[in-house]
């Protein structure tokens, strides 16, 4: 391996045509958590991923050139891997993309939460608008239950209160899918 690849800001593994590691840079060793993998088959050096795409690329007589990103549970890390077939061997380039993947997942969660908040705000606004015309406690309970229980957001809503002189609750309003009562 020449000095430029040895100092590259990404992991580099040079392999023989049979898939034996001939050389690697320090970043490559760190990313796959291997100490001096020289002379070892790639299948024994590279950690297992969920889909084992790298190992599949080395199956058969010819190596499939490929680019992919996969999660490696043993490393708790996402790696971007590129396999390049050369006439005298193979080169595997590795980058840690864990932070980018986590940011993407976090962004997706925030978008979902924002959408959920918008839906809740719409439901709340509809309920408040309907409450303006309510004239009794029963009507208020019914409006709130229907506003919540008849949406895709909630399956069921009910309003109850402790009955005067009773130990249990008395249902005042119910809406949504109540299920079977036994």
């Amino acid at each position: 391996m020449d000095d430029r690849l040895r100092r590259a800001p990404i992991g580099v593994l040079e392999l023989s045509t049979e898939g034996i590691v001939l050389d690697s840079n320090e970043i490559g060793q760190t990313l796959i958590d291997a100490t001096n993998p020289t002379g070892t088959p790639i299948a024994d050096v590279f950690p297992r991923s969920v889909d084992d795409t790298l190992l599949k690329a080395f199956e058969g007589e010819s190596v499939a050139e490929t680019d992919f990103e996969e999660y490696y549970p043993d490393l708790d890390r996402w790696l971007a891997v590129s396999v390049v077939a050369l006439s005298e061997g193979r080169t595997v380039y590795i980058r840690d993309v864990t932070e980018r993947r986590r940011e993407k997942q976090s962004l997706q969660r925030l978008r979902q939460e924002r959408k959920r908040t918008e839906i809740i705000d719409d439901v709340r606004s509809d309920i408040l608008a309907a409450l303006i015309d309510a004239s009794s406690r029963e009507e208020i309970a019914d409006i709130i239950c229907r506003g919540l229980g008849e949406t895709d957001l909630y399956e069921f809503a009910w309003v109850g209160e402790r009955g005067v002189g009773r130990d249990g609750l008395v249902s005042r309003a119910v809406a949504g899918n109540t299920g079977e009562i036994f």
Side-chain angles (χ1 to χ4, degrees), residues 137-138 140-146 148 156-162 169-175:
R137 289 180 63 175
E138 290 78 21
I140 291 171
D142 186 56
I143 289 169
I144 291 172
C145 279
R146 277 188 292 111
L148 296 174
F156 177 74
W158 71 277
V159 173
E161 61 185 31
R162 184 174 285 263
L169 294 175
V170 176
S171 178
R172 295 294 177 208
V174 176

Side-chain angles (χ1 to χ4, degrees), residues 66 93 107 123 158:
T66 185
Y93 299 98
L107 183 59
V123 168
W158 71 277

Side-chain angles (χ1 to χ4, degrees), residues 19-38:
I20 305 296
V21 178
L22 301 174
D23 203 355
S24 60
N25 67 1
E26 188 176 329
I27 292 176
Q29 292 176 26
T30 301
L31 287 175
I32 63 172
D33 199 25
T35 311
N36 193 17
T38 304

